[in-house]
Amino acid sequence: MKRILAWILIMVLLVGCAGCKENETEKEQTGSENLETATDGDNKPVSVDNTDETENDDFRLTFYTDLYSEEYQELGNAQMWLSGFSEETEGKKIRFCSDVDDVYVTLEQGEWMEAPLYFRPVDCMFNVETKAGKVYEFDGYLAECIPLYRITAFKGDKTAVWYLMEDGKDGKQVFEVAGEEPHATCPEITDPILSLCAVYAGLSIRVEEDIAYKPEQFWTAIANAVTIVMLQTADADAEGNIYLDYETLNKYAEAMFPETGVYPDIKESDGIIWPESAEDSVIVKANFTVDDSTVVVRSMEVTDDRNVDVTLLFKGEIEEYAAVHISPVSEVQNPFKWVITGVELAKG
């Protein structure tokens, strides 16, 4: 049942979603069998607005997925071919354009991880830095349900993401994504970042100080957070072990302690067994030092465009409060989409 729930969450996540190989294989078409040389006569210009010469990081990418559509045909010939989906018999010749120069675009192949639910890249099919109005083409695959390919695009502090998936509702064949900076909106009550906040605040209350200044609490906090989040979609084994890969464990650390450059050494009492090789799983002993079932989210407040305060009530003989400060980040940077930046403690 938990596995089914996890895949349902993937679909909910994707609703509304519009170490690499070699860099792009560029063919500035000189007699290519598939793509002809672009000329003024057979290529219609792509509209590019250059009226605003002020520097900013705004960008928009447009993807065309139907070879026979009018919009696709109006592009004329593609001007650069990029390595993409290897099984050409199943792939589509997808084209895209950028409205500005210098957008760094990458096509990633990946897999879906659970707790937190996120797309983990396992291969890089291409990366390219765009020129405004240039027509790029690659072999791509649009999934009907669970996408296994993702476009990420960056310019300055702005990011855009497009999961290669068919539009099952409207059947559209042209997709647009725009670069955006993460901005603060209150998390949903089911967002896993709130479990991390509960652990962070609960341990800070126990030691009467922000645990960012208590390196001995670092791995205890992470093990506690892993326990709460992972056990929502999977079970520990008979010995109370929870298994996850190093990269996912690192995402917990980055979300809870974003300013920690060098991780403290792991002690036996921390309940984390480090793998002997990169292929092995990290083992986390189930840790319920902070039980989030005793924690109530009293309020969430957007304090400015980059910060939200989450006020938590810890029920017990003495009610205790803590306000955890969180800041939004791109899902490409961290799957929790937030990082914890501090905590304030108060008695009830």
Side-chain angles (χ1 to χ4, degrees):
M1 186 64 185
K2 290 179 178 179
R3 292 285 178 181
I4 295 174
L5 175 61
W7 287 113
I8 291 174
L9 288 173
I10 290 178
M11 296 311 302
V12 172
L13 172 71
L14 294 171
V15 170
C17 282
C20 288
K21 293 180 180 178
E22 293 181 356
N23 285 3
E24 73 277 4
T25 302
E26 182 171 349
K27 296 182 181 178
E28 295 288 358
Q29 304 310 318
T30 55
S32 168
E33 180 176 311
N34 296 319
L35 304 177
E36 300 173 4
T37 304
T39 67
D40 293 338
D42 59 14
N43 267 46
K44 296 185 178 181
V46 177
S47 176
V48 179
D49 184 4
N50 290 319
T51 57
D52 184 4
E53 297 298 332
T54 60
E55 285 192 18
N56 62 62
D57 297 331
D58 293 341
F59 70 87
R60 183 177 298 275
L61 300 177
T62 306
F63 295 87
Y64 304 85
T65 63
D66 184 359
L67 174 66
Y68 303 104
S69 70
E70 181 179 351
E71 296 92 343
Y72 192 105
Q73 293 297 321
E74 285 181 349
L75 295 173
N77 294 321
Q79 296 159 287
M80 182 181 290
W81 181 83
L82 304 165
S83 300
F85 188 62
S86 59
E87 299 179 28
E88 296 184 13
T89 56
E90 296 185 33
K92 287 190 171 188
K93 295 195 178 301
I94 297 173
R95 291 181 176 179
F96 70 92
C97 300
S98 171
D99 63 343
V100 297
D101 292 341
D102 304 325
V103 181
Y104 190 79
V105 181
T106 301
L107 174 64
E108 301 167 317
Q109 182 181 14
E111 59 184 353
W112 287 94
M113 310 299 291
E114 299 176 19
L117 181 66
Y118 74 101
F119 181 92
R120 184 179 74 171
V122 297
D123 197 4
C124 177
M125 314 306 290
F126 71 72
N127 53 67
V128 66
E129 193 168 352
T130 66
K131 295 295 183 183
K134 193 169 187 174
V135 181
Y136 301 88
E137 181 178 294
F138 65 94
D139 289 324
Y141 174 71
L142 299 185
E144 294 182 4
C145 187
I146 307 299
L148 297 178
Y149 295 86
R150 178 178 75 176
I151 287 283
T152 60
F154 303 89
K155 183 176 172 64
D157 293 329
K158 296 191 176 181
T159 305
V161 177
W162 178 50
Y163 292 94
L164 275 64
M165 184 171 66
E166 293 181 356
D167 184 342
K169 180 180 179 182
D170 299 323
K172 66 180 180 181
Q173 301 292 334
V174 178
F175 299 84
E176 287 189 345
V177 292
E180 297 181 351
E181 286 188 68
H183 60 279
T185 57
C186 291
E188 298 292 332
I189 198 66
T190 55
D191 282 353
I193 187 60
L194 296 182
S195 296
L196 273 59
C197 289
V199 170
Y200 193 98
L203 290 176
S204 295
I205 288 173
R206 287 170 65 92
V207 301
E208 299 182 333
E209 187 178 357
D210 188 332
I211 58 172
Y213 306 107
K214 294 284 188 178
E216 66 273 15
Q217 297 294 323
F218 183 91
W219 292 113
T220 298
I222 292 171
N224 201 161
V226 167
T227 299
I228 292 174
V229 176
M230 292 285 287
L231 293 188
Q232 293 175 9
T233 57
D235 296 315
D237 67 12
E239 298 177 353
N241 294 329
I242 300 169
Y243 300 86
L244 73 164
D245 61 281
Y246 163 76
E247 185 176 339
T248 300
L249 185 75
N250 193 52
K251 298 302 182 184
Y252 281 84
E254 291 173 351
M256 299 184 78
F257 302 99
E259 298 300 320
T260 301
V262 179
Y263 296 166
D265 292 336
I266 298 176
K267 306 185 299 293
E268 185 176 349
S269 59
D270 289 330
I272 295 178
I273 302 174
W274 207 252
E276 294 183 0
S277 68
E279 291 75 26
D280 295 332
S281 296
V282 180
I283 300 175
V284 176
K285 297 289 185 180
N287 181 325
F288 293 99
T289 303
V290 175
D291 181 357
D292 68 337
S293 66
T294 65
V295 183
V296 177
V297 177
R298 291 299 299 269
S299 67
M300 290 186 281
E301 179 185 2
V302 177
T303 57
D304 56 51
D305 191 52
R306 297 294 301 168
N307 295 282
V308 171
D309 283 353
V310 179
T311 301
L312 303 167
L313 166 63
F314 290 79
K315 297 181 292 185
E317 293 184 6
I318 300 176
E319 291 189 344
E320 297 182 277
Y321 292 84
V324 182
H325 310 307
I326 58 176
S327 181
V329 296
S330 165
E331 67 177 277
V332 178
Q333 180 179 345
N334 190 285
F336 288 102
K337 302 179 185 179
W338 299 87
V339 294
I340 295 173
T341 58
V343 65
E344 293 180 17
L345 308 178
K347 295 289 185 180

